[in-house]
């Protein structure tokens, strides 16, 4: 279930690695989902279970920061879905960020 994703912007080359999904033993309390941190303007892995009401974060499962996924893959984690392509980039503010699966653990 737990996955490491690489986020990469095709316009400004912003790159970050994020966790998606909890592990076999902690998924009930820890469910990291890539989120845009409005204060730092960075993407972080944030525990959706404890921070979903925190207005400082916009999770990439939220339609607000998704663009057109075209024929992209959808990463599923319970009822959360991440689009593979055309997500909001916190640096250049275009819908140009791609998530790629990197490591399963
Ligand atoms: Zn960018």
């Amino acid at each position: 279930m737990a996955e490491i994703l690489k986020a990469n912007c095709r316009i400004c080359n912003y790159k970050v690695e994020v966790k998606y999904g909890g592990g076999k033993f902690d998924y009930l309390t820890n469910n990291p989902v890539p989120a845009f941190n409005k204060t730092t303007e960075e993407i972080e892995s944030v525990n959706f279970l404890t921070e979903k009401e925190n207005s400082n974060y916009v999770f990439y499962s939220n339609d607000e920061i998704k663009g057109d996924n075209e024929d992209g893959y959808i990463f599923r984690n319970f009822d959360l879905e991440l689009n593979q392509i055309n997500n909001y980039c916190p640096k250049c503010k275009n819908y140009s960020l791609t998530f790629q699966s990197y490591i399963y653990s």
Side-chain angles (χ1 to χ4, degrees):
M1 190 86 229
E3 241 178 300
I4 308 285
L5 303 178
K6 271 188 181 174
N8 187 1
C9 174
R10 68 172 179 267
I11 295 178
C12 71
N13 279 322
Y14 176 72
K15 279 191 180 74
V16 64
E17 286 178 13
V18 285
K19 284 188 193 156
Y20 187 41
K24 201 186 296 181
F25 301 107
D26 69 353
Y27 71 94
L28 291 175
T29 53
N30 184 33
N31 188 9
V33 174
F36 169 54
N37 181 328
K38 291 181 186 171
T39 307
T40 62
E41 303 201 321
E42 296 282 346
I43 298 174
E44 297 171 17
S45 306
V46 178
N47 187 352
F48 185 81
L49 298 174
T50 57
E51 304 300 331
K52 63 185 164 194
E53 307 294 341
N54 186 334
S55 62
N56 189 49
Y57 297 115
V58 186
F59 290 90
Y60 276 89
S61 51
N62 188 327
D63 287 341
E64 201 184 313
I65 54 173
K66 286 178 180 174
D68 181 356
N69 198 32
E70 297 171 16
D71 295 323
Y73 184 77
I74 294 173
F75 298 95
R76 293 178 206 278
N77 173 15
F78 299 99
D79 56 343
L80 302 174
E81 296 183 348
L82 289 191
N83 282 353
Q84 183 181 20
I85 57 176
N86 294 333
N87 295 287
Y88 179 73
C89 172
K91 291 297 168 197
C92 68
K93 322 248 185 267
N94 290 295
Y95 287 82
S96 49
L97 191 93
T98 299
F99 288 109
Q100 278 183 306
S101 189
Y102 175 41
I103 300 172
Y104 279 96
S105 60

